[in-house]
Each structure stands twice: as structure tokens, then as C-alpha cells.
């Protein structure tokens, strides 16, 4: 399943909630929904990470984690000095300007960020702080013979 489904669902920011093919054409009779492809969903990410880790797919869990954290870091400015614990993100297509989002952030996105930031290694944290993509991070660690 990992070898078959992962290439279809993995994207720049982690896992998508489906594929373009499964979503189908967007139209008046099939409008795009907030969790449709190409968007991801924080609880889905967390469940996937835990499942991968429990079944021995640690590298996959780390890669997806890094991609998710990187996507949130670069898109939602989580490094604000006044409240650095806050993750300003919502559903994949809404952003934080949506009126229904609480000022303190959205619970499961905040939780996904804080939870996995506690688990990634120090090199990953430094790379995330510099907004380095996963691909560049891997190339850098490989060139230094480091383990990701």
C-alpha cells in the first residue's frame, strides 16, 4: 500500500486528501470542497505519521512530517516573536484570514505543528527555521554523509 498509494498522495506539503482523478472535474455540479484534492488536512497528516511509524516506515513519516512543517512554516509565518507557539493556518484553501478562525489559531493545525516539531531531529529543525525545502535538506545531509 505504501509503495502504491504514496506516490499518488504525496505532495510538496505532505499528503493530499485524495488524487485529482478521485476528485474529478470541478464544476457547478461538483464544486471544490475544503478537504478535496490538492489539499491536506492536519488530522489526516497526524494519523498517517503515527501509522507509518508504528509499521516501521520511519523514513516516510519523517519525510512527510518535514514537508508538512515546511509548508506551514513558509505559508503561515509561525515564527512571530509575539506568540511563536501559534500556527496561523487553517484548512488548506482558507488561510488564516477566514472569519471563522479563532485568533489563537486552529487547534488541529497548531497541534500537528507542535507535536511533530517535538519529534524531528535538530538538523531538521534548523533547516525548517531557514525555510529549506525537503529536497534541499536531503541533498545537504547526503553530501555531509548525515542521516535524515
Amino acid at each position: 500500500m505504501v509503495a502504491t498509494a504514496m506516490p499518488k498522495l504525496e505532495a510538496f506539503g505532505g499528503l493530499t486528501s485524495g488524487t485529482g482523478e478521485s476528485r474529478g472535474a470541478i464544476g457547478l455540479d461538483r464544486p471544490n470542497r475544503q478537504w478535496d484534492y490538492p489539499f491536506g488536512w492536519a488530522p489526516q497528516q497526524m494519523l498517517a505519521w503515527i501509522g507509518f511509524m508504528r509499521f516501521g516506515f520511519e523514513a516516510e513519516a519523517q519525510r512527510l512530517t518535514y514537508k508538512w512543517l515546511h509548508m506551514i512554516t513558509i505559508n503561515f509565518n509561525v515564527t512571530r516573536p509575539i506568540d511563536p507557539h501559534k500556527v496561523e493556518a487553517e484548512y488548506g484553501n482558507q488561510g488564516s484570514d477566514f472569519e471563522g478562525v479563532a485568533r489563537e489559531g486552529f487547534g488541529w493545525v497548531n497541534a500537528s505543528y507542535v507535536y511533530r516539531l517535538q519529534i524531528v531531529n535538530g538538523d531538521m529543525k534548523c533547516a525548517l527555521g531557514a525555510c529549506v525545502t525537503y529536497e534541499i535538506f536531503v541533498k545537504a545531509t547526503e553530501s555531509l554523509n548525515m542521516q535524515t
Side-chain angles (χ1 to χ4, degrees):
M1 184 170 182
V2 172
T4 304
M6 190 81 110
K8 295 177 183 179
L9 300 173
E10 188 171 350
F12 178 80
L15 290 175
T16 61
S17 57
T19 65
E21 184 180 357
S22 69
R23 165 58 188 104
I26 297 170
L28 292 176
D29 59 334
R30 289 188 69 174
N32 200 20
R33 303 287 185 214
Q34 62 192 18
W35 295 311
D36 282 346
Y37 173 86
F39 306 118
W41 188 46
Q44 164 201 12
Q45 306 299 315
M46 290 188 283
L47 290 169
W49 302 330
I50 292 167
F52 285 130
M53 290 169 46
R54 285 186 180 169
F55 287 93
F57 294 97
E58 182 69 31
E60 290 81 355
Q62 290 294 328
R63 182 178 69 246
L64 292 171
T65 293
Y66 189 96
K67 288 180 170 191
W68 177 256
L69 295 178
H70 178 259
M71 185 265 310
I72 293 171
T73 301
I74 64 169
N75 286 298
F76 303 106
N77 188 18
V78 298
T79 56
R80 295 173 11 155
I82 59 170
D83 55 357
H85 67 282
K86 178 181 174 184
V87 177
E88 288 193 27
E90 227 303 337
Y91 308 122
N93 64 340
Q94 287 182 188
S96 62
D97 291 334
F98 186 74
E99 290 182 18
V101 178
R103 287 178 359 111
E104 58 277 352
F106 201 75
W108 52 44
V109 176
N110 293 358
S112 72
Y113 194 88
V114 172
Y115 165 60
R116 285 311 282 194
L117 195 58
Q118 295 172 1
I119 295 173
V120 295
N121 66 40
D123 295 325
M124 286 182 163
K125 287 179 188 174
C126 287
L128 285 165
C131 297
V132 173
T133 65
Y134 181 76
E135 291 73 22
I136 293 172
F137 171 74
V138 168
K139 285 180 186 176
T141 55
E142 285 175 350
S143 71
L144 297 171
N145 288 328
M146 298 169 60
Q147 193 174 31
T148 56

